[in-house]
């Protein structure tokens, strides 16, 4: 009996020993969004403080899980007045809901370098399922630190109304659909 327990514990250890964690290289990444203003122009923004990790034991990322968190108080649309308004209670309410988070439930390969990443998006105090598209742009060994790096382009969308964001803002002024646009670089280790 003890031998079986030891072998089982060894197998669990062996499997978990192969899992690798990839951390977001924030200096070489941008997690952003866009909306349409008055039906005539798309404006873009991003989050200055973002953290993300990918955990995977397979080189092709087919068993990956990803967790992303962005601080709402650090929203950046290249317009200080708009950024301040977006943080107010009638919009994102950054004081009450300071984080946007995504945690994947599946990372399904759809092509040679493409994936459907399903998961739970938590935004403005509401959690709902979303599916994002990810493209593995490439992998390499960093020439300076000799660590493996991987780059992903991530796109998707959700409706702000599903999360109770800016309910007083008519769609004619600000689109209900929020596009997600992220270019991310991860470092293994």
């Amino acid at each position: 009996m003890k031998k079986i327990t030891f072998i089982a514990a060894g197998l669990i250890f062996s499997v978990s020993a192969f899992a690798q964690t990839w951390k977001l290289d924030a200096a070489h990444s941008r997690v952003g969004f866009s909306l349409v203003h008055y039906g005539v122009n798309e404006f873009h923004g991003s989050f200055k403080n973002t953290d993300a990790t990918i955990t995977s034991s397979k080189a092709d990322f087919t068993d990956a899980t990803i967790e992303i968190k962005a601080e709402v108080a650090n929203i950046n649309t290249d317009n200080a007045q708009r950024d301040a308004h977006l943080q107010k209670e009638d919009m994102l309410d950054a004081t009450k809901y300071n984080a946007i988070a995504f945690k994947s439930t599946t990372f399904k390969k759809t092509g040679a370098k493409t994936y459907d990443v399903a998961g739970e998006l938590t935004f403005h105090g509401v959690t709902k399922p979303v599916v994002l598209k990810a493209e593995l742009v490439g992998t390499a060994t960093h020439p300076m630190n000799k660590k493996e790096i991987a780059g992903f382009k991530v796109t998707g969308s959700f409706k702000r109304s599903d999360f109770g964001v800016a309910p007083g803002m008519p769609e004619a002024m600000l689109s209900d659909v929020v596009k997600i646009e992220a270019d991310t670089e991860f470092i293994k280790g």
Side-chain angles (χ1 to χ4, degrees), residues 146-178:
K146 307 300 181 201
K147 292 185 176 185
E148 287 184 61
I149 56 175
F152 287 92
K153 181 170 206 57
V154 181
T155 58
S157 65
F158 63 89
K159 291 185 175 184
R160 65 180 170 86
S161 60
D162 288 346
F163 294 86
V165 174
M169 184 72 62
E171 192 172 351
M173 286 181 70
L174 188 64
S175 64
D176 192 27
V177 174
V178 179

Side-chain angles (χ1 to χ4, degrees), residues 89-105:
E89 190 176 321
D90 67 327
M91 296 297 281
L92 300 176
D93 199 355
T95 303
K96 187 173 182 181
Y97 306 111
N98 190 34
I100 297 171
F102 176 80
K103 184 173 183 177
S104 69
T105 53

